[in-house]
Amino acid sequence: MTEQTRTAEADVDITPGEGAGPDAAPKHPKAFYTAEATATGDGRNGRVATSDGLLDLDLVIPNPITKPKKTNPEQLFASGFAACYNSAFQGAAKLMKVRLTESTVTARVGIGPVALNRFGLGVRLHVTATGIDQETAERVAERAEQMCPYSNATRGNIPVEIEVTAK
């Protein structure tokens, strides 16, 4: 590794840093886990694998006409966002002392052009909350949106819509 590479890596703080106050985010959040994945091959028609070997997938460019037999980056992003937001939703309910029976989150991630040769993402999350009323479910969703790392990473960067249904 060159000195220039070491410097560039040091500028990205994914190692433990200062903590946060109750209502303030830290400039450099403490990382209690760091995922590492490497993409190889022809980009979206390549392969992605994690350093621990738990994920090793062939990728394909998303095509709305054909039914590919491989995954694509948008499906991976949707899976991560759905899982993370569902965890945040359940955590928010617990913090708010709301008796939630069950929750599910479905994430839809769209990709499309935002300008010539530039692409962007949009996300729609659909939360189904069982055992609570609609108003409570919406309050929990607002709190979860503040807690979820994916929500915090995307806020102000891409459109994210959250739909909530109580059962």
Side-chain angles (χ1 to χ4, degrees):
M1 180 183 329
T2 67
E3 187 60 39
Q4 184 177 12
T5 304
R6 278 191 208 110
T7 303
E9 287 177 0
D11 291 343
V12 179
D13 188 2
I14 59 171
T15 57
E18 75 232 29
D23 293 323
K27 284 187 177 182
H28 302 286
K30 289 185 177 186
F32 57 85
Y33 173 76
T34 300
E36 181 178 310
T38 301
T40 58
D42 188 17
R44 292 175 156 274
N45 280 319
R47 183 171 203 77
V48 65
T50 56
S51 58
D52 60 11
L54 293 176
L55 184 73
D56 190 350
L57 300 169
D58 289 327
L59 298 175
V60 66
I61 295 173
N63 185 328
I65 298 170
T66 64
K67 297 278 186 197
K69 295 189 183 347
K70 300 175 186 175
T71 192
N72 61 65
E74 289 68 36
Q75 289 175 324
L76 297 173
F77 187 73
S79 298
F81 207 149
C84 186
Y85 192 85
N86 196 29
S87 180
F89 190 86
Q90 292 173 4
K94 187 178 251 186
L95 286 173
M96 296 168 70
K97 298 184 180 1
V98 170
R99 289 182 169 256
L100 177 67
T101 305
E102 181 182 47
S103 65
T104 60
V105 176
T106 301
R108 296 185 59 159
V109 174
I111 183 172
V114 294
L116 184 62
N117 296 318
R118 291 180 49 211
F119 296 87
L121 300 174
V123 176
R124 178 172 293 130
L125 300 176
H126 185 86
V127 180
T128 303
T130 306
I132 58 177
D133 63 73
Q134 184 68 29
E135 182 181 333
T136 303
E138 288 174 7
R139 283 196 342 254
V140 173
E142 288 173 12
R143 180 85 177 258
E145 199 276 332
Q146 297 299 310
M147 294 172 61
C148 175
Y150 278 70
S151 295
N152 290 326
T154 58
R155 189 177 302 112
N157 295 310
I158 64 171
V160 176
E161 296 176 11
I162 302 172
E163 301 170 343
V164 182
T165 303
K167 285 186 167 183

